[in-house]
Structures are given as structure tokens and as C-alpha cells.
């Protein structure tokens, strides 16, 4: 079969265009998954009031001035179970610098079961009993884990859906610790 | 027509590459479990028969088996509402022990691809012959390689036709001593 160079060039151009479009779209989709309109990167993280497993009332705004790692999880989520021990270590490592990890259990399990699960993993940070309304405020958490990194100024630095590596989590923590630091220093 | 005959191959390759790239993004696809249609099964009054229900888990996802390895994992379970006097039982297939990228050292007992749940149906002798619909829900909880999705319920429905048991074989009547030709 004779190949027409014009056709080959056209094909090459089409392939290049589709590759560029495809990867651009894939990146957009990855950023938009469960895309929370009000809490997009740079937006203020929606405040909430939830009960912790030990019966305390906890508000996100209680932690203003700290960097918050807000992790939505559930006892039935195996990938969540992988990253929780990392959060325990990172809370120890960065707690002194102003990091606060908060877990929100989006679970039908009883608080007692959630507490047992958290205790088995050695969780050293507050675990809050989630409500659908809070998930909705964060864009309707459609799958877990979902983690929001909130700067000291209360603004969302990053949001991550699905399990990521420990290194990526640590990088986001550093970004969250850095954001709003100047504002904090001025106060 | 001839001039463009070479276009589809690279375009298809490209589409496949993009599809693979996008499949890796958690949440890009919604997990699904579907049930194949079941033909009406004949079941005999007073006897137990098995109706196989075939399910398919969407590509790239797994669901827990009926006997997952952790008390916290949500088992796949089928709940059926049968008409009065039709006794049903459910037998689940064994899951497959598999490890996943999120936990390479830990094996989970899961269903992937196609699996079949065997439902035993035993109409009591009091059941009137005829067609009966059995309805229920398959509860499952799916994950992909990086994320898990909330539990879901798949409506399940199939029909059985209850038939009378054939009359018991009669004892042979006494043989005539005469030979009939």
C-alpha cells in the first residue's frame, strides 16, 4: 500500500493533538473528581461541627492558625488503613510545627467499632464521627480516602482523592504548614 | 476512501492509551456490579432446586467476598424475600485471595469479574403450582487499586415456576399368568 505523505503528516498532527488533549483532560478530571466548588484550592475550607469519638464537640475553626490534614475515611476502606499509620507518624513529626491531623469517619459502623479500628492502628489524632452534610460541603466525598490539606489561614492548599504515597502526603503537609505562616507571624 | 485507510489504527491505539491512562484515576469510573438475566426455573413442590445467579464486577474493581478476612470489611451478601412457603438458601462462591497495590503484603478475599451465587429454592407441599417472583438485594462494597466506594445495593429478581411433583411410581400390579400376544 502506498503511503501518501500528506496523510501521514495529518495523522501525526492528529495523534499529537489528541495526546495533548487527552492528557490535559486527564489532569483536569483528576483535579475535578468530587470537585468541591466551595473548597477548591485556595478557597476557604468549609467549617463544620462534629462529635469526636470521646464525645467532644470539634469545629474546624478551632484549629485556625494550624495546618490541618483533614482525612475522610471509613473502617471498610482498606487503602485508608494503609495511610492512617503514616498520619500517626506525621502527626508526631510535624505536630510541634503546627500540624493537626483530623480524621472524619464516614461510616455506618458504631462509634465503638470506629474507636476499636482507630485504636488498633494507634491513631493519635482526633477522629470525628462524620455526617453526610460535611461530606457534601467538601464536594460530596464519593470515594475514600479523600484528604484535604488546609493552611494556617484556613484555605485549602490541596485535595487528594484515593491513596497516595507517604512522600506526597508529607510534601502536602509542608505546603500546608507554609501557607498562612506570614499571616500568622503578623498576628 | 483508500487515502484514509491508515487513520483508524493510530487513532484506535491512541484511544486505548488514553483509556488506560484515565482508568488509573480513582473515581474516573463508577464501580458496577450487574446481574445476568435468569430464565424462569422450574422447581418441584417439596423438592429443593438450585438457581444460579450470575454477577459481573466491572473491570478494574473488586468487591469483598462473602467471607472477607477482616471484621471491618463489608461482605457481599444476598438478601431475598421469598413468597410464604418457599424456602430459600444462599450459597456464595469462595472468593479469591488477592493482594493489591495499596497493600501488597496483605491478601484480601474478593470477587472480581464473573461470580455465581447459588440459590436453593424449596417450595413446600402447600404451595400452589404457578409462577412466583423472588426479589432481593445484593449488597456489595467495591474498591479499585487506590480508593473504596460506599456500599451499594443491587436489586435482584428472578422467577420460578412451581410444578407438582410427579406422582409416585405405582407398584406393579400382579402379573397375569396368561401370556398376551
Amino acid at each position: 500500500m502506498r503511503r501518501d505523505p500528506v496523510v501521514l503528516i495529518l495523522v501525526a498532527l492528529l495523534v499529537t493533538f489528541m495526546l495533548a488533549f487527552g492528557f490535559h483532560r486527564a489532569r483536569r478530571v483528576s483535579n475535578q473528581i468530587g470537585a468541591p466548588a466551595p473548597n477548591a484550592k485556595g478557597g476557604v475550607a468549609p467549617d463544620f461541627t462534629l462529635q469526636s469519638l470521646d464525645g467532644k464537640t470539634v469545629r474546624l475553626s478551632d484549629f485556625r492558625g494550624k495546618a490541618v490534614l483533614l482525612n475522610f475515611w471509613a473502617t471498610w476502606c482498606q487503602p485508608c488503613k494503609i495511610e492512617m499509620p503514616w498520619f500517626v507518624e506525621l502527626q508526631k513529626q510535624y505536630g510541634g510545627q503546627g500540624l493537626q491531623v483530623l480524621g472524619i469517619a464516614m461510616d455506618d459502623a458504631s462509634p465503638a467499632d470506629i474507636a476499636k479500628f482507630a485504636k488498633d492502628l494507634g491513631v493519635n489524632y482526633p477522629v470525628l464521627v462524620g455526617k453526610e452534610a460535611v461530606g457534601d460541603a467538601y464536594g460530596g466525598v464519593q470515594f475514600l480516602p479523600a484528604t484535604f490539606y488546609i493552611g494556617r489561614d484556613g484555605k485549602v492548599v490541596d485535595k487528594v482523592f484515593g491513596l497516595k504515597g507517604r512522600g506526597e502526603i508529607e510534601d502536602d503537609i509542608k505546603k500546608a504548614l507554609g501557607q498562612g505562616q506570614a499571616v500568622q507571624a503578623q498576628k | 476512501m483508500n487515502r484514509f485507510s491508515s487513520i483508524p489504527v493510530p487513532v484506535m491505539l491512541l484511544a486505548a492509551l488514553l483509556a488506560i491512562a484515565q482508568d488509573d484515576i480513582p473515581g474516573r469510573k463508577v464501580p458496577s456490579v450487574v446481574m445476568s438475566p435468569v430464565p424462569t426455573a422450574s422447581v418441584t413442590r417439596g423438592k429443593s432446586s438450585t438457581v444460579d445467579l450470575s454477577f459481573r464486577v466491572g473491570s478494574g474493581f473488586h468487591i469483598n467476598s462473602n467471607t472477607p478476612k477482616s471484621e471491618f470489611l463489608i461482605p457481599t451478601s444476598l438478601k431475598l424475600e421469598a413468597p410464604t412457603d418457599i424456602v430459600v438458601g444462599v450459597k456464595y462462591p469462595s472468593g479469591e485471595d488477592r493482594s493489591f497495590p495499596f497493600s501488597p503484603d496483605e491478601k484480601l478475599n474478593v470477587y472480581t469479574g464473573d461470580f455465581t451465587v447459588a440459590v436453593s429454592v424449596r417450595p413446600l407441599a402447600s404451595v400452589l403450582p404457578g409462577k412466583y417472583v423472588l426479589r432481593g438485594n445484593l449488597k456489595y462494597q467495591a474498591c479499585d487499586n487506590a480508593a473504596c466506594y460506599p456500599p451499594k445495593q443491587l436489586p435482584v429478581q428472578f422467577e420460578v415456576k412451581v410444578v407438582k411433583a410427579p406422582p409416585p411410581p405405582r407398584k406393579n400390579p400382579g402379573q397375569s399368568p396368561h401370556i398376551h400376544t
Side-chain angles (χ1 to χ4, degrees), chain A residues 1 3-4 7 11 14 18-19 22 25-26 29 33 75-76 78-79 82 113 116-117 142-144 161-163, chain B residues 3 5-7 10-11 14 18 22 25-28 71-74 102-103 106 108 141 146-151:
Chain A
M1 191 170 75
R3 305 228 175 232
D4 187 336
V7 172
V11 169
L14 182 70
M18 288 182 76
L19 265 175
R25 190 168 178 277
V29 166
I33 290 163
T75 53
W76 42 259
Q78 279 297 104
I82 303 303
D113 283 343
K116 181 181 182 301
F117 186 93
Q142 289 155 16
F143 53 93
L144 301 172
F161 300 92
L163 177 67
Chain B
R3 287 168 63 91
S5 60
S6 60
I7 289 178
V11 170
L14 182 68
L18 288 176
Q22 295 196 9
I25 302 166
R28 180 70 185 86
E71 61 178 307
F72 291 107
L73 297 179
I74 296 171
F102 55 75
S103 178
E106 189 180 359
L108 302 179
Q141 189 269 305
C148 288
Y149 299 75

Side-chain angles (χ1 to χ4, degrees), chain A residues 50-108:
Chain A
L50 290 172
Q51 294 291 310
S52 67
L53 288 176
D54 52 6
K56 289 179 188 154
T57 300
V58 176
R59 291 176 189 83
L60 178 65
S61 51
D62 295 342
F63 301 97
R64 189 59 64 88
K66 288 193 167 197
V68 175
L69 184 161
L70 188 64
N71 173 238
F72 290 85
W73 66 280
T75 53
W76 42 259
C77 166
Q78 279 297 104
C80 303
K81 198 177 156 184
I82 303 303
E83 62 181 12
M84 286 167 76
W86 298 339
F87 295 152
V88 170
E89 290 169 13
L90 293 163
Q91 177 64 66
K92 282 183 196 159
Q93 193 177 337
Y94 291 98
Q97 294 176 44
L99 172 71
Q100 181 59 62
V101 178
L102 288 179
I104 298 186
M106 302 299 283
D107 228 299
D108 287 336

Side-chain angles (χ1 to χ4, degrees), chain B residues 21-37:
Chain B
Q22 295 196 9
D23 272 2
D24 286 345
I25 302 166
R28 180 70 185 86
K29 292 199 307 181
V30 177
S32 68
V33 176
V34 292
M35 188 177 96
S36 303

